[in-house]
Amino acid sequence: MLKRKIYLVFLSVTIFFLFTSCDFLLNLFKTENPEYEIGKFEDINIFDKSNLSEENSFVTGYSITGDNEYLYAATTGKKKCPGKIVKVSKNGEEILIKELQEEALKKNYDNAHAYWLDSINYYKNKLLIISFPKLLQFENGEFEIYCVNPDDLTVDWRWTPDENGMIEICKTGNRTIAFWKDYYLIFYACEKTEGFYIALLDSKGNQILKRYSDHSCPTEDGDICIVNDKLVLHQYSNPLVVYDLNKLTDDTYDFDDCIDYSFDTGSANIYSNIVSDGENCYFCYWDRIDSRHAFMIVNALSLSSYDVIWSYKFEDTFFDCVNSIALSDGHLFLAADYGCVYNIDTSNGKLTWKKEITTRENFRNLLNEGVFYKNYFVLPCSDDYLYYFDMRTGEVKGKKCIPFVSRTRCMYVEGEYLYIATGAYIVRLKLLE
């Protein structure tokens, strides 16, 4: 009898263990598991750090752009290991690497400090690259703009600001170069100034205009948009300011007379880019509750009447920010820093769908710059996964492990492929239907 009881107890424990084990295994392979990949992918590495010298191989900051045949990227660099420009064919069979500092010296720019490369831009068959010597603690820290020939990666020209001061990186706004009427538009703030400068360069790097505003300077990231001859940007104390670029380029106008519109909330902290459909622009700002809580608000502003068409207030008061706004086919796609993606209908400001990638307890930032690929909104996340959201429903259709080392501009879409620069390699990725 005792043996029978022992056997029954043993059998019960065994069945319970098997049941819970099976349940565990089933849960392990559910698509909700954050470590589980969703969808089938075709991917090839077209460039990786093994193509760089040993001392440069761990420099992580790729920024990427492209044309019909090639991709162009820039490694961040450092003082003893200057940043490099990479040209690679889209199948990875052809690679050209140049050190920007070395190319600058060949052009007789003996005082060049092209070490830390911040971003790479492609306009009118030219590459525009920004370098920031201040990060390397040089005595005279002016930033530099280099124009590079994409064919052989040689330097065409260099431009530096007239001011003998260091660029204040945390106040310069989106560190890319805008393009307007065949001119390169650069805006920057210098050390110990409250305002900011706007400069226009022609195709040969000649400065044709520079204006200074003593208003508060642009904020940190992604805060410039040019549409219909209007310069739309965030400034530190204003969520949105609209400048008439035609007036701005006329020296007979005072800088204040160039302001078409200023949206003022009294105090503002902005952490989002600005997007426009040509008629309206869309931007975010905080409605602060206290030192630890604030509502994030999205506004739609008419660029003709300057009326606020609608406002959408996020229901969450968690003190954070929107890292990325993207616009496609009448819908805004917003990536909030606390792990949620929102889709808002631009016609009425109503929420179409919301997708929470992670719980607050498993905080995972959504990185900057979502892109559109086929019928998906694609977004990198700091948990080293790339998410593909169905644009209509918000359902996650793809989830691919991509170790992201950098928060810089890292994705480029061309046809059926998505190219991603992670800081360690560049991969060509295709989500198979």
Side-chain angles (χ1 to χ4, degrees):
M1 189 72 175
L2 180 60
K3 288 184 178 180
R4 177 180 173 82
K5 287 184 178 180
I6 293 174
Y7 172 76
L8 289 175
V9 170
F10 174 77
L11 183 61
S12 300
V13 170
T14 303
I15 292 172
F16 175 78
F17 174 77
L18 289 173
F19 178 78
T20 54
S21 296
C22 291
D23 187 60
F24 169 76
L25 291 173
L26 286 173
N27 285 330
L28 180 64
F29 290 101
K30 281 184 179 179
T31 56
E32 289 83 4
N33 190 302
E35 307 308 318
Y36 186 80
E37 290 193 357
I38 300 172
K40 295 182 179 180
F41 296 86
E42 171 191 311
D43 61 277
I44 63 167
N45 275 5
I46 61 174
F47 182 85
D48 60 52
K49 62 184 182 181
S50 64
N51 292 286
L52 301 170
S53 58
E54 184 177 352
E55 66 273 14
N56 195 235
S57 63
F58 62 89
V59 177
T60 61
Y62 289 124
S63 177
I64 190 172
T65 186
D67 57 25
N68 291 332
E69 297 183 57
Y70 296 94
L71 298 173
Y72 306 92
T75 66
T76 303
K78 56 183 180 177
K79 188 170 184 180
K80 293 184 179 179
C81 184
K84 301 183 187 301
I85 313 168
V86 175
K87 176 181 179 180
V88 56
S89 58
K90 291 182 178 178
N91 58 11
E93 295 177 358
E94 182 182 343
I95 297 174
L96 177 63
I97 303 173
K98 292 286 187 73
E99 184 181 285
L100 184 56
Q101 173 69 7
E102 183 179 311
E103 294 302 312
L105 294 174
K106 289 180 182 177
K107 192 72 175 179
N108 296 321
Y109 295 129
D110 295 332
N111 61 341
H113 295 313
Y115 293 87
W116 187 288
L117 309 186
D118 183 80
S119 64
I120 186 167
N121 307 263
Y122 188 91
Y123 295 118
K124 296 279 187 176
N125 198 34
K126 295 294 180 183
L127 298 172
L128 276 293
I129 299 171
I130 306 175
S131 65
F132 283 98
K134 180 184 177 181
L135 295 175
L136 306 173
Q137 304 302 313
F138 289 111
E139 290 183 5
N140 60 336
E142 296 94 341
F143 71 101
E144 302 167 320
I145 306 292
Y146 286 91
C147 178
V148 173
N149 188 322
D151 295 330
D152 56 7
L153 304 186
T154 56
V155 172
D156 283 350
W157 49 261
R158 178 189 68 163
W159 178 86
T160 59
D162 299 329
E163 292 72 31
N164 186 23
M166 293 184 290
I167 186 73
E168 187 64 58
I169 295 171
C170 67
K171 295 182 179 179
T172 57
N174 185 22
R175 296 185 293 274
T176 57
I177 300 169
F179 195 69
W180 175 70
K181 287 187 176 180
D182 292 328
Y183 297 113
Y184 304 113
L185 187 149
I186 301 160
F187 64 108
Y188 60 98
C190 285
E191 193 177 39
K192 299 179 181 179
T193 63
E194 294 298 325
F196 65 99
Y197 292 91
I198 290 178
L200 287 181
L201 312 181
D202 65 16
S203 60
K204 295 183 178 180
N206 300 312
Q207 180 178 296
I208 64 167
L209 171 82
K210 185 179 72 173
R211 302 292 299 271
Y212 175 75
S213 168
D214 58 4
H215 292 279
S216 62
C217 57
T219 54
E220 282 191 52
D221 291 312
D223 52 5
I224 184 171
C225 178
I226 294 179
V227 55
N228 299 335
D229 296 339
K230 298 179 186 294
L231 173 63
V232 186
L233 52 80
H234 291 310
Q235 291 179 196
Y236 188 73
S237 59
N238 299 87
L240 195 80
V241 181
V242 182
Y243 291 90
D244 185 328
L245 279 168
N246 290 308
K247 290 181 180 179
L248 198 65
T249 54
D250 188 341
D251 290 335
T252 63
Y253 282 92
D254 182 84
F255 211 108
D256 288 342
D257 293 333
C258 303
I259 298 177
D260 278 357
Y261 176 81
S262 180
F263 180 83
D264 188 2
T265 61
S267 63
N269 289 284
I270 316 300
Y271 288 90
S272 79
N273 52 326
I274 303 169
V275 293
S276 174
D277 55 18
E279 296 181 358
N280 307 320
C281 70
Y282 308 91
F283 62 100
C284 293
Y285 69 96
W286 284 333
D287 184 6
R288 193 183 298 275
I289 300 173
D290 53 42
S291 61
R292 305 188 72 175
H293 298 86
F295 281 107
M296 182 68 72
I297 296 177
V298 186
N299 267 6
L301 180 80
S302 167
L303 289 175
S304 56
S305 65
Y306 297 116
D307 293 325
V308 175
I309 301 171
W310 53 256
S311 294
Y312 175 83
K313 180 181 287 190
F314 285 61
E315 75 283 0
D316 203 319
T317 61
F318 186 70
F319 196 82
D320 225 298
C321 59
V322 170
N323 276 336
S324 175
I325 306 178
L327 175 64
S328 176
D329 195 26
H331 287 266
L332 290 178
F333 297 80
L334 302 102
D337 203 30
Y338 47 82
C340 288
V341 178
Y342 298 80
N343 180 318
I344 297 175
D345 189 332
T346 60
S347 66
N348 54 26
K350 303 296 184 182
L351 181 67
T352 304
W353 53 257
K354 171 186 173 183
K355 183 69 176 181
E356 185 176 358
I357 291 181
T358 181
T359 62
R360 189 63 47 76
E361 291 73 25
N362 297 304
F363 188 88
R364 288 172 182 164
N365 290 348
L366 301 178
L367 302 185
N368 289 332
E369 194 192 2
V371 297
F372 298 107
Y373 166 80
K374 297 185 178 180
N375 295 317
Y376 309 111
F377 176 57
V378 184
L379 194 69
C381 184
S382 60
D383 65 354
D384 288 341
Y385 276 88
L386 189 73
Y387 290 83
Y388 291 72
F389 300 92
D390 185 297
M391 291 171 62
R392 295 175 294 103
T393 66
E395 181 183 354
V396 176
K397 293 290 190 177
K399 182 180 175 185
K400 176 70 173 173
C401 183
I402 300 286
F404 287 91
V405 186
S406 173
R407 290 176 66 100
T408 59
R409 190 156 47 98
C410 61
M411 294 192 290
Y412 179 82
V413 177
E414 178 71 31
E416 61 181 359
Y417 292 109
L418 174 66
Y419 299 89
I420 307 165
T422 70
Y425 57 90
I426 300 173
V427 64
R428 189 182 77 183
L429 196 63
K430 179 181 179 181
L431 176 61
L432 303 176
E433 301 291 348

